[in-house]
């Protein structure tokens, strides 16, 4: 499996690092992966494109 890198600002990364440690994750990367998988899972439950847009709007990803 290939890996991709993303950039996030330092303040957000410091929060991720803190919460990852508090939550017992082995690394910030593991914590981020879990969060992304959880959010994507919510979106994938949608049965139509319109429902996906509604969910993304509800999560604040689109306006």
């Amino acid at each position: 499996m290939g890996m991709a890198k993303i950039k996030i600002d330092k303040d957000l990364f410091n929060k991720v690092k803190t919460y990852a440690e508090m939550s017992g994750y082995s690394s910030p990367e593991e914590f981020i992966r879990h969060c992304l998988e959880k959010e994507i899972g919510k979106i994938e439950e949608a049965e139509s494109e319109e429902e996906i847009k509604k969910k993304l709007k509800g999560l604040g990803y689109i306006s």
Side-chain angles (χ1 to χ4, degrees), residues 29-62:
E29 291 82 3
E30 182 185 27
F31 178 72
I32 291 170
R33 192 174 315 116
H34 176 83
C35 291
L36 290 173
E37 287 172 350
K38 188 175 171 183
E39 290 302 316
I40 289 170
K42 289 179 190 175
I43 295 167
E44 289 178 336
E45 291 174 0
E47 294 182 8
S48 69
E49 188 173 328
E50 193 58 39
E51 192 177 344
I52 290 171
K53 287 180 181 176
K54 189 175 175 182
K55 286 181 180 245
L56 288 171
K57 202 174 210 176
L59 293 170
Y61 295 125
I62 60 173

Side-chain angles (χ1 to χ4, degrees), residues 7-20:
K7 292 182 179 183
I8 59 173
D9 67 63
K10 201 169 195 160
D11 290 339
L12 179 57
F13 183 75
N14 287 334
K15 286 182 183 178
V16 167
K17 197 173 170 184
T18 299
Y19 293 126

